[in-house]
Amino acid sequence: LHTDAAAGTASVATMAERARADGYAWAIVADRSPSAFPRGASADAFRAKTKEIGAGSDPEFELFQGIVVDVLPDGRLDADDDTLQRADVVIGQVNDGFAPDGGPQDAAGMTARLLAAVRHPRLHLLDLPSGGCRGGAPAWDADLDGVLEACAEHGTAIAWSGLPHRQLLTEAEHARAQALGLWAFPAADAHDEDGVDQALLAVAVARRHGWPADRILTSLDAEAFKAFLDRKGRD
């Protein structure tokens, strides 16, 4: 769930209430990091949301505080250490095809960028490892097989968006991720209340590509999801 702290249009309370009304037992509030285009949230804005997120939880519904961090051209995550430690869930996303010198990033550079993010002990999910959008920017040129292998080695799950124009992983890539035993997170990627329904499309993608329910993070209850988060960096 994105909120009005960054690219979303509604408050934490409004987004949480919609998710609760739709029958979800938990959700992640995850605004984008400062460098994200078109609008990211500052570290101060992230900390300011902590109290609101805590107030949105109760024994029947739990809100996790997440952050969608831009993976910068050199592989660093676009958040300070304090923010990364405070976040329950850290989601990495590449938002441009530029190298550190400002020019286009080649396959070797993009692969190294993604691998650096996957190896970070606080990165739980890698969003859209193929990059791009349908009808828009092309997918990143990278050794995705190597990136998926690194996800398996470092306990990083892959995520994809419920936005229709961002369904980019190929059948072969979904199959390879499953063969490696990866966890997957089909995300709503909701920027407003109605966007919560996009989770249904994201789950439909998982079904179409044969993902078993026991490797889908959103099929877990809140305690089991916490256990997955706690394992990151320790396995």
Side-chain angles (χ1 to χ4, degrees):
L1 310 178
H2 298 284
T3 76
D4 54 7
T9 62
S11 67
V12 169
T14 297
M15 294 297 286
E17 185 53 40
R18 174 59 181 266
R20 185 199 303 264
D22 282 1
Y24 293 99
W26 56 271
I28 304 168
V29 173
D31 287 310
R32 299 163 80 181
S33 64
S35 295
F37 178 84
R39 187 159 56 98
S42 67
D44 287 343
F46 174 86
R47 286 188 284 271
K49 287 292 181 187
T50 302
K51 187 173 182 180
E52 292 180 61
I53 290 169
S57 295
D58 61 41
E60 301 300 321
F61 179 80
E62 183 152 4
L63 274 183
F64 293 93
Q65 184 165 22
I67 183 170
V68 179
V69 292
D70 196 6
V71 178
L72 300 173
D74 60 4
R76 289 178 299 116
L77 302 184
D78 181 36
D80 58 48
D81 289 342
D82 179 67
T83 299
L84 293 173
Q85 289 300 323
R86 285 172 178 263
D88 298 315
V89 189
V90 179
I91 305 156
Q93 186 178 74
V94 171
N95 284 302
D96 65 63
F98 298 115
D101 64 3
Q105 193 156 46
D106 61 16
M110 183 60 72
T111 301
R113 178 178 183 173
L114 290 165
L115 290 174
V118 167
R119 292 166 180 153
H120 195 289
R122 288 296 297 162
L123 190 81
H124 300 101
L125 312 175
L126 180 64
D127 180 45
L128 277 172
S130 288
C133 294
R134 290 196 186 281
W140 313 126
D141 188 7
D143 174 15
L144 189 56
D145 193 61
V147 173
L148 293 175
E149 289 179 359
C151 286
E153 180 182 354
H154 294 278
T156 305
I158 61 167
W160 57 82
S161 169
L163 288 167
H165 65 285
R166 299 194 74 185
Q167 303 301 320
L168 285 165
L169 287 174
T170 66
E171 183 174 351
E173 290 161 354
H174 278 282
R176 180 60 175 150
Q178 291 173 58
L180 288 166
L182 296 187
W183 284 94
F185 194 105
D189 196 7
H191 291 73
D192 55 32
E193 292 175 80
D194 290 340
V196 174
D197 291 341
Q198 291 161 193
L200 303 178
L201 176 57
V203 169
V205 170
R207 288 175 170 162
R208 184 170 74 241
H209 291 287
W211 280 88
D214 62 4
R215 300 308 290 177
I216 297 294
L217 288 169
T218 52
S219 71
L220 303 178
D221 62 25
E223 288 304 312
F225 183 56
K226 287 179 188 175
F228 164 80
L229 298 173
D230 289 344
R231 287 196 299 271
K232 177 65 181 183
R234 294 193 289 108
D235 287 351

